[in-house]
């Protein structure tokens, strides 16, 4: 039972990267299991900022094996650029491996992503334009290309001829867009093949061996539960499963081996892109929290929408993922506020809901029910133990845990590793 799953409990950007980095030196292996370079994780280690999109932030620890699992969709160009950037920053990347079963983002995927969004007009989702949706579509449609295909040029060529016929047909007839050239794609991808080859592995025996020897494994989720294709605010979601269940399928690790599931939550809520956000603060207060929290996306630089902590969302994430440990981040961002609000449910059409309802238009127009708590109006950045936090801050944190239904084991009061208050280490025994 030495496996720990870490998921984002809200709409992404909860601070997962920081927590993974924090835990990485206490585990043998970090496995990323879904999403692609739509993810953006900023980690500050010893005052230096590192940005991750595809490569697990566990790579900052040279002794931790970092695996990109088969549930991830990998843009080979983005992967190589990120790899080079980390190597130039002096990070040792020898402990990195990439599943040969992981699907690839092909050059037409980001183009189709953007065109699809334009076609939706006012109903667009606000995707990251990284081609993630179209890549997962092709995987499910069974016309995707996998990383292992880079090692089979003849197969790649034959399959591309067939797939490109479909893609070019869609591009020209649906969107009036230019076609893609088969030779150019082949040359480009076979060029990547040579550089990616040292990282490609059949990860099945690697993971089985680690399980057999009871090695400590940390499964790194990208995005967040409310962006999940099934449990999230569909269609305003991503195209993968950023849940505990998704972590198992995307890595090949059985649920029976999972000893702990950690949910990372921000002390308030943010969301990038469109879709319902019941506790959103659109006025001055929202702007203030955005500025104090530097709420601008790591991947696209977009301003994040900001709102109060939504415990109805929190409880939903805890119960659907079996979260038994909460990490609450960015508590310091709330330091100056005189009063705080926690959403406990919603009223929609005269009915009280304790969880986000499936009907997206009802969720868009519901009235959140709030509890009001006093603020602490004291800086928390220099606190190093939970007991050092102001009483009102501790009360807020405990109430978040109570409403969500899991213990808050770690509190984060700043971006650096040292700004972390650990009450109980959130790892499987
Ligand atoms: P992720 O996608 O879940 O890894 O989160 P992001 O990296 O996209 O966004 C979290 C941002 O908040 C990053 O810039 C972190 O450096 C920063 N951060 C993480 N924890 C804290 C915290 O406790 N306080 C503050 N002020 N910033 C934090
Ligand atoms: P991390 O791992 C926040 C959002 C996009 C958009 C929706 C669909 O940094 O928490 P996509 O490109 O995935 O098809 O876009 O999902 N989104 C994220 N929002 N953090 C992320 O990742 C996200 N990854 C995707 O903004 O609303
Ligand atoms: Mg992020």
């Amino acid at each position: 039972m030495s496996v720990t799953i870490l998921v984002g409990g809200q709409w992404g950007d909860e601070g997962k990267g920081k927590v993974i980095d924090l835990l990485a030196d206490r585990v043998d292996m970090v496995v990323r299991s879904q999403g692609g370079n739509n993810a953006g994780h900023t980690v500050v280690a010893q005052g230096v900022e590192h940005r991750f999109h595809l490569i697990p932030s566990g790579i900052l620890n040279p002794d931790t094996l970092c695996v990109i699992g088969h549930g991830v969709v990998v843009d080979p160009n983005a992967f190589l650029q990120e790899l080079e950037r980390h190597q130039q920053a002096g990070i040792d990347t020898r402990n990195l491996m990439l599943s040969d079963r992981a699907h690839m983002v092909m050059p037409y995927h980001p183009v189709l992503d953007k065109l699809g969004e334009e076609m939706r007009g006012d109903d667009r989702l606000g995707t990251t334009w990284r081609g993630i949706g179209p890549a997962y579509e092709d995987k499910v449609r069974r016309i995707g290309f996998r990383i292992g295909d880079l090692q089979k040029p003849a197969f790649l060529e034959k399959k591309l001829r067939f797939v490109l016929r479909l893609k070019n047909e869609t591009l020209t007839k649906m969107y009036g867009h230019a076609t893609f050239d088969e030779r150019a794609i082949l040359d480009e991808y076979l060029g990547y093949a040579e550089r990616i080859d040292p990282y490609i592995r059949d990860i099945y025996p690697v993971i089985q061996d680690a399980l057999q020897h009871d090695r400590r494994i940390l499964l790194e989720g990208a995005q967040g539960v409310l962006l999940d294709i099934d449990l999230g605010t569909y269609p305003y979601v991503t195209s993968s499963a950023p849940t505990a269940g998704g972590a198992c399928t995307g890595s090949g690790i059985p649920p029976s081996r999972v000893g702990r599931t950690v949910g990372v939550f921000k002390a308030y809520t943010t969301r990038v892109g469109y879709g319902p956000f019941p506790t959103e603060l659109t006025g001055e207060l929202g702007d203030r929290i955005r500025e104090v929290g530097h709420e601008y996306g790591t991947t696209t630089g977009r301003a994040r929408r900001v709102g109060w902590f939504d415990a109805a969302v929190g409880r939903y994430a805890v119960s659907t993922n079996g979260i038994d440990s909460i990490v609450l981040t960015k508590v310091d961002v709330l330091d100056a506020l005189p009063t705080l609000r926690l959403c406990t449910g919603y009223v929609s059409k005269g009915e009280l809901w304790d969880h986000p309802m499936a009907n997206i238009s009802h969720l868009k127009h519901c009235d959140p029910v709030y509890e009001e708590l006093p603020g602490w109006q004291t800086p928390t950045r220099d606190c190093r133990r939970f007991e050092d936090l102001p009483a009102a801050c501790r009360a807020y944190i405990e109430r978040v845990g109570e409403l969500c239904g899991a213990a808050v084991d770690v509190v984060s009061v700043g971006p650096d590793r040292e700004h972390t208050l650990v009450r109980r280490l959130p790892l499987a025994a």
Side-chain angles (χ1 to χ4, degrees):
M1 300 285 271
S2 52
V3 177
T4 303
I5 295 180
L6 181 142
V7 296
Q10 296 155 317
W11 279 279
D13 301 328
E14 298 89 349
K16 300 175 293 291
K18 169 180 167 164
V19 184
I20 297 281
D21 168 59
L22 196 77
L23 299 175
D25 65 350
R26 295 168 201 265
V27 298
D28 302 297
M29 190 189 275
V30 176
V31 188
R32 167 94 185 258
S33 47
Q34 45 70 230
N37 60 326
N38 49 349
H41 307 158
T42 302
V43 177
V44 183
Q46 276 109 37
V48 182
E49 192 174 281
H50 304 270
R51 286 164 181 243
F52 298 91
H53 297 285
L54 276 165
I55 296 173
S57 50
I59 199 80
L60 289 175
N61 186 321
D63 298 324
T64 311
L65 192 63
C66 284
V67 178
I68 299 179
H70 52 253
V72 178
V73 287
V74 179
D75 180 328
N77 187 30
F79 170 78
L80 286 168
Q81 281 185 18
E82 185 175 342
L83 190 70
E84 210 166 284
R85 197 161 42 77
H86 292 321
Q87 285 168 344
Q88 277 166 3
I91 299 170
D92 186 349
T93 57
R94 280 172 300 180
N95 261 340
L96 176 67
M97 58 178 72
L98 179 52
S99 167
D100 54 2
R101 291 177 172 85
H103 277 248
M104 285 194 284
V105 173
M106 301 298 284
Y108 37 80
H109 289 142
V111 173
L112 287 165
D113 195 354
K114 201 168 173 186
L115 290 169
E117 281 279 271
E118 279 165 12
M119 191 168 250
R120 278 174 180 263
D122 286 347
D123 290 328
R124 65 193 182 280
L125 310 176
T127 74
T128 59
W129 290 352
R130 296 295 186 271
I132 305 304
Y136 277 116
E137 268 172 49
D138 281 2
K139 172 178 173 171
V140 174
R141 202 176 162 191
R142 290 159 294 184
I143 55 166
F145 290 89
R146 303 196 294 177
I147 286 287
D149 296 344
L150 291 175
Q151 295 170 322
K152 302 180 287 181
F155 173 83
L156 193 68
E157 183 167 357
K158 184 165 171 245
K159 187 166 166 188
L160 189 60
R161 188 157 309 142
F162 159 68
V163 173
L164 210 50
R165 242 180 43 220
L166 288 175
K167 296 294 158 191
N168 281 338
E169 188 97 338
T170 309
L171 283 163
T172 51
K173 298 221 168 114
M174 287 263 306
Y175 300 109
H177 194 274
T179 56
F180 275 87
D181 178 61
E182 182 189 319
R183 195 67 251 164
I185 296 181
L186 272 176
D187 289 348
E188 182 187 342
Y189 274 57
L190 291 174
Y192 299 142
E194 215 172 294
R195 290 158 65 202
I196 292 186
D197 196 65
Y199 298 95
I200 304 178
R201 289 285 285 275
D202 177 1
I203 65 163
Y204 167 72
V206 178
I207 287 191
Q208 285 306 309
D209 183 71
L211 288 172
Q212 254 164 34
H213 291 93
D214 241 0
R215 301 263 186 267
R216 291 184 146 202
I217 304 175
L218 179 60
L219 288 169
E220 166 178 336
Q223 286 83 48
V225 173
L226 272 291
L227 287 173
D228 179 80
I229 187 78
D230 290 303
L231 293 168
T233 45
Y234 189 89
Y236 300 95
V237 292
T238 191
S239 298
S240 66
T243 50
C248 291
T249 53
S251 61
I253 292 179
S256 55
R257 298 300 297 266
V258 178
R260 184 162 293 278
T261 301
V262 181
V264 183
F265 292 87
K266 206 175 270 191
Y268 47 99
T269 311
T270 61
R271 165 160 214 176
V272 202
Y274 302 100
F277 183 174
T279 63
E280 183 167 14
L281 291 163
T282 47
E284 215 174 283
L285 182 56
D287 292 344
R288 197 164 135 203
I289 297 176
R290 181 179 306 108
E291 291 316 310
V292 177
H294 303 294
E295 294 297 354
Y296 296 90
T298 311
T299 300
T300 55
R302 287 179 291 177
R304 294 174 182 153
R305 297 158 66 195
V306 171
W308 294 120
F309 187 89
D310 187 337
V313 156
R315 198 162 45 234
Y316 179 72
V318 164
S319 50
T320 52
N321 288 269
I323 291 169
D324 40 18
S325 224
I326 290 177
V327 177
L328 195 66
T329 65
K330 303 193 92 159
V331 168
D332 55 300
V333 175
L334 305 177
D335 281 352
L337 302 186
T339 45
L340 298 163
R341 287 178 148 197
L342 289 171
C343 166
T344 56
Y346 322 107
V347 174
S348 173
K349 313 248 166 229
E351 208 183 317
L352 181 66
W353 289 75
D354 68 354
H355 64 276
M357 63 288 275
N359 187 319
I360 250 20
S361 123
H362 289 186
L363 192 61
K364 256 182 197 164
H365 299 111
C366 69
D367 294 313
V369 178
Y370 287 115
E371 258 183 36
E372 209 159 86
L373 282 86
W376 44 95
Q377 297 186 282
T378 315
T380 54
R381 185 64 66 87
D382 293 330
C383 296
R384 290 294 168 268
R385 295 175 313 155
F386 184 75
E387 298 71 36
D388 298 339
L389 291 168
C393 181
R394 290 194 313 249
Y396 178 80
I397 294 166
E398 297 294 29
R399 188 67 184 140
V400 164
E402 219 168 75
L403 289 170
C404 294
V408 180
D409 286 337
V410 178
V411 176
S412 173
V413 291
D416 218 315
R417 279 181 197 168
E418 68 195 35
H419 305 135
T420 319
L421 288 58
V422 181
R423 302 168 85 187
R424 181 174 69 141
L425 200 63
L427 277 176

